Each structure stands twice: as structure tokens, then as C-alpha cells.
Amino acid sequence: MAGVAGLLTSALVKIVGDKLGSTIGQQANLVWNFSRDLEDMKDTLESMAAVLKYAERRRI
């Protein structure tokens, strides 16, 4: 009986560990992508500011 309980416990621990590892990987991926998205937005805003500044100079 103890052998069966040990096997079930071992299987449960493996499943929980796999799920936890997967979740941690997904969270890390979200953080990485968010940082990249913020950098892309910053670059876009800097480009827009440069275009607006150029357009303002051309208007004068």
C-alpha cells in the first residue's frame, strides 16, 4: 500500500513541478516580450518626434 502511495505522490510532484516550470517559463517570456515592446514603443516615439520637429522646421 505504501508503495502505491509513494508512486502516486511521486507522479503528483512531477506533474506539479512540470506545470510550475511551464508557468514560470511563460511569465519570463511575457516579461521579456514586454521589455522589448517598451523599447519598440520608445523608438517609435523618438522617430515620431523627429518627424514632427522636421515638419515644424519646414513649415517656417
Side-chain angles (χ1 to χ4, degrees), residues 29-59:
N29 193 31
L30 285 174
V31 169
W32 177 260
N33 287 335
F34 184 69
S35 295
R36 191 176 335 144
D37 289 344
L38 285 176
E39 194 64 38
D40 289 346
M41 285 188 275
K42 179 181 169 245
D43 292 343
T44 300
L45 287 172
E46 287 173 351
S47 296
M48 290 170 60
V51 168
L52 290 172
K53 186 176 182 179
Y54 174 76
E56 183 65 26
R57 279 187 278 155
R58 296 272 305 179
R59 187 179 67 101

Side-chain angles (χ1 to χ4, degrees), residues 3-15:
V4 173
L7 288 175
L8 287 174
T9 302
S10 176
L12 181 63
V13 167
K14 180 172 177 9
I15 291 170

